[in-house]
Amino acid sequence: MGQGKQGIHPKQSGRPATKQPSLSQLRAFAAVAEHLHFRDAAAAIGMSQPALSGAVSTLEEALGVQLIERTTRKVLLSPAGERLAGRTAVVLEAVAALMEEAEAARAPFTGVLRLGVIPTVAPYLLPTVLRLVQDRYPDLDLQVHEEQTSSLLEGLAAGRLDLLLLAVPLGVPGVSEIPLFDEDFVLVMEQDHWLGGRADIPREALRELPLLLLDEGHCLRDQALDICREAGRTEGAPVTTTAAGLSTLVQLVAGGLGVTLLPRTALTVETARNDALATGYFAHPAPTRRVALAMRAGSARGGEFEEFGAALRGAMKPLPVRVVDAPPV
């Protein structure tokens, strides 16, 4: 048992090999190369001895070289067999890694998740997001990219990013939104400002106030301008646009250069340590913004992202926001 033909192979006779080896043939040869014994090799991979011997012979024919020197007493690798045994092991290891990766891809919340976040959300919501991922999805490799909305949408379309956390609506074809929450805007001003501490500020107060906004490209700037237009603010009213981030805006306010609008989630982080600031809240209904996840429409991970959104809504309930109802499936 275990003996086979030792005739001339296609390669040796000058005829090129035309068949691709199968994985079962490679596994059979790898087992024989490891054990140098047909019976032990067959037992190791759960194959009968005749089947294993036939698989190795077929592999030799496919490759056009003799891999095994068969005798009645023992099995030896030929010089070609010794050369190809290592290569065979590498191929089988690569296939095993491929299968493991495919299994991981089938399992939700594993592998890499490239999350894009806008700058007016990242510092205030990422602690909640990171805590949720660490506690509930420890096998998820979360990679965070902070960019402005236009750059995030380009990254999503190009496949550079998987999921976005940003203000909506976007109104972009091919992008689906998963709403998370609504939050009010708060007016931030100098400590002795006449609107400081009020909880019933009318939107009309924005018509003439010296307003400080973020630079162009930030969606929060556009939202603030929309609020001002709705309040009847004229195009000629002064607007200073020298700040690249909310922290800078708040410092400009503390220095007496004007007032600004902050989302509620940013309020504590940006104002708690500055005694020169005061806050005021708008009368109902206050101006708001909605924050959501965004993904490519039809994403293969759509179900996973919907579940992630539901988990985020639960995690964000302690924040000063109004969590929205889960969207219909």
Side-chain angles (χ1 to χ4, degrees):
M1 186 69 68
Q3 295 180 334
K5 293 191 301 180
Q6 300 187 40
I8 297 176
H9 294 275
K11 184 83 171 182
Q12 296 166 329
S13 64
R15 290 183 285 113
T18 58
K19 295 182 180 180
Q20 292 289 332
S22 68
L23 288 177
S24 61
Q25 294 165 5
L26 293 175
R27 291 191 183 99
F29 170 56
V32 173
E34 179 181 354
H35 296 279
L36 295 178
H37 195 287
F38 276 88
R39 184 182 62 207
D40 293 346
I45 61 175
M47 182 181 287
S48 68
Q49 279 186 244
L52 180 134
S53 180
V56 173
S57 295
T58 303
L59 177 62
E60 289 177 319
E61 293 175 3
L63 297 177
V65 293
Q66 182 176 344
L67 302 172
I68 304 294
E69 295 181 4
R70 302 161 176 85
T71 71
T72 56
R73 295 177 178 271
K74 57 183 177 180
V75 176
L76 298 175
L77 293 180
S78 70
E82 290 180 353
R83 289 180 58 184
L84 295 181
R87 182 76 65 175
T88 299
V90 171
V91 171
L92 293 175
E93 289 174 1
V95 171
L98 173 67
M99 298 304 293
E100 290 178 2
E101 191 67 23
E103 182 178 358
R106 290 194 301 270
F109 303 108
T110 59
V112 175
L113 173 58
R114 297 164 297 181
L115 177 68
V117 191
I118 56 175
T120 58
V121 162
Y124 321 114
L125 298 186
L126 277 181
T128 300
V129 174
L130 297 176
R131 192 160 47 245
L132 173 69
V133 170
Q134 182 179 9
D135 293 344
R136 186 174 297 192
Y137 311 117
D139 295 326
L140 189 64
D141 180 9
L142 182 67
Q143 299 177 2
V144 177
H145 302 262
E146 184 185 70
E147 302 169 23
Q148 293 185 7
T149 299
S150 59
S151 177
L152 292 181
L153 289 172
E154 290 173 0
L156 186 68
R160 178 173 60 84
L161 299 172
D162 304 310
L163 191 65
L164 309 181
L165 179 60
L166 72 181
V168 296
L170 299 169
V172 177
V175 175
S176 298
E177 299 172 6
I178 305 173
L180 298 176
F181 63 82
D182 296 325
E183 64 175 328
D184 294 342
F185 282 100
V186 179
L187 193 65
V188 180
M189 63 212 83
E190 290 181 273
Q191 181 62 48
D192 58 353
H193 196 279
W194 65 278
L195 290 174
R198 289 182 55 174
D200 60 348
I201 300 174
R203 294 195 189 198
E204 290 74 18
L206 294 172
R207 292 177 180 175
E208 303 299 333
L209 291 173
L211 189 63
L212 303 173
L213 298 178
L214 293 173
D215 290 334
E216 293 186 8
H218 290 273
C219 62
L220 187 59
R221 170 194 171 91
D222 297 330
Q223 292 165 340
L225 288 174
D226 287 341
I227 293 168
C228 291
R229 279 191 288 268
E230 292 172 3
R233 187 183 181 94
T234 63
E235 294 293 334
V239 174
T240 302
T241 56
T242 57
L246 292 183
S247 296
T248 303
L249 268 185
V250 169
Q251 293 305 315
L252 294 175
V253 171
L257 298 185
V259 302
T260 195
L261 293 167
L262 287 186
R264 281 289 302 270
T265 50
L267 191 61
T268 299
V269 173
E270 300 297 349
T271 66
R273 293 175 294 181
N274 197 324
D275 295 336
L277 296 170
T279 56
Y281 297 87
F282 289 93
H284 181 78
T288 64
R289 74 169 178 176
R290 172 162 290 188
V291 173
L293 295 173
M295 63 180 176
R296 289 182 295 276
S299 169
R301 302 174 72 178
E304 177 183 347
F305 294 158
E306 293 279 0
E307 184 178 340
F308 187 58
L312 273 178
R313 282 191 288 271
M316 290 175 175
K317 286 182 178 179
L319 300 178
V321 300
R322 293 182 298 281
V323 173
V324 300
D325 294 332
V329 179

